[in-house]
């Protein structure tokens, strides 16, 4: 069993898609251990996407990620990190496979509806950023 961290991003929360996206997640092998809605602060969004700080889209990305509430979640399952990335689909929805969350719901390469950790190590860091151990049930 492995855990991963998921964010349902502002574009999807705004369009009332939390339930639709979680239906896809729960229809796969993944279990939702924890889930809460919050606003990312500018500081949190900057730290979260720090690896992209030199990229031309960084300022716009931080503005978008703080433009409305997000749903942060911890998912668990076999191979959860890779499995959730597969269910999400490619970063650019134009390149995402049929049936993936981003293919169905993403608006653009930036407003792409969901985040998923890209490694087990990053999943641990991201989970501990938002949840305490006792919240994971
Ligand atoms: P995430 O980290 O959110 O799960 P990802 O791992 O698929 O997405 P990254 O390359 O880490 O993709 O990019 C982080 C986020 O930055 C993307 O999900 C998207 O919201 C935004 N982004 C990435 N590339 C671009 C781009 N070329 N133009 C605008 N926004 C972008
Ligand atoms: Mg990423």
């Amino acid at each position: 069993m492995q855990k991963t961290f998921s964010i349902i991003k502002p574009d999807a929360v705004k369009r009332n898609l939390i339930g639709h996206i979680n239906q896809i997640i729960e229809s796969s092998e993944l279990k939702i251990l924890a889930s809460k809605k919050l606003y990312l602060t500018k500081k949190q969004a900057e730290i979260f996407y720090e690896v992209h700080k030199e990229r031309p889209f960084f300022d716009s990305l931080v503005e978008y990620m703080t433009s409305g509430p997000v749903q942060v979640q911890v998912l668990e399952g076999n191979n959860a990190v890779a499995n959730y990335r597969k269910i999400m689909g490619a970063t650019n929805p134009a390149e995402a496979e049929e049936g993936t969350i981003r293919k169905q719901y993403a608006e653009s390469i930036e407003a792409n509806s969901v985040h998923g950790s890209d490694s087990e190590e990053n999943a641990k860091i991201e989970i501990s950023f938002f949840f305490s151990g006792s919240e994971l049930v």
Side-chain angles (χ1 to χ4, degrees):
M1 282 298 196
Q2 188 180 52
K3 292 183 183 63
T4 192
F5 178 71
S6 150
I7 301 179
I8 301 177
K9 296 183 178 183
D11 65 283
V13 173
K14 267 187 198 123
R15 287 177 289 143
N16 271 354
L17 294 173
I18 295 171
H20 288 81
I21 289 170
N22 280 341
Q23 199 166 8
I24 297 172
I25 290 171
E26 290 190 319
S27 299
S28 72
E29 300 287 286
L30 294 164
K31 196 175 180 110
I32 301 168
L33 296 190
S35 183
K36 63 189 171 191
K37 197 191 234 181
L38 49 79
Y39 276 92
L40 291 179
T41 65
K42 186 163 186 268
K43 190 91 224 160
Q44 283 176 323
E46 285 170 353
I47 293 169
F48 193 80
Y49 281 122
E50 198 168 17
V51 316
H52 298 304
K53 69 174 180 293
E54 304 304 333
R55 308 285 287 277
F57 58 80
F58 180 74
D59 288 347
S60 172
L61 176 60
V62 168
E63 193 166 315
Y64 154 65
M65 288 298 291
T66 56
S67 66
V70 297
Q71 189 81 12
V72 294
Q73 309 195 122
V74 179
L75 312 179
E76 185 179 66
N78 285 322
N79 229 345
V81 170
N83 274 351
Y84 184 51
R85 295 279 297 187
K86 193 170 163 62
I87 292 163
M88 284 166 47
T91 309
N92 183 353
E95 291 163 11
E97 274 180 48
E98 278 314 318
T100 60
I101 296 169
R102 283 168 167 168
K103 178 71 178 184
Q104 288 182 70
Y105 296 125
E107 294 183 312
S108 65
I109 190 168
E110 178 181 79
N112 60 5
S113 301
V114 282
H115 160 78
S117 307
D118 58 12
S119 67
E120 186 168 33
E121 188 194 356
N122 282 337
K124 284 181 181 153
I125 294 167
E126 292 170 3
I127 290 167
S128 64
F129 204 66
F130 291 100
F131 293 96
S132 66
S134 63
E135 288 177 288
L136 310 183
V137 293

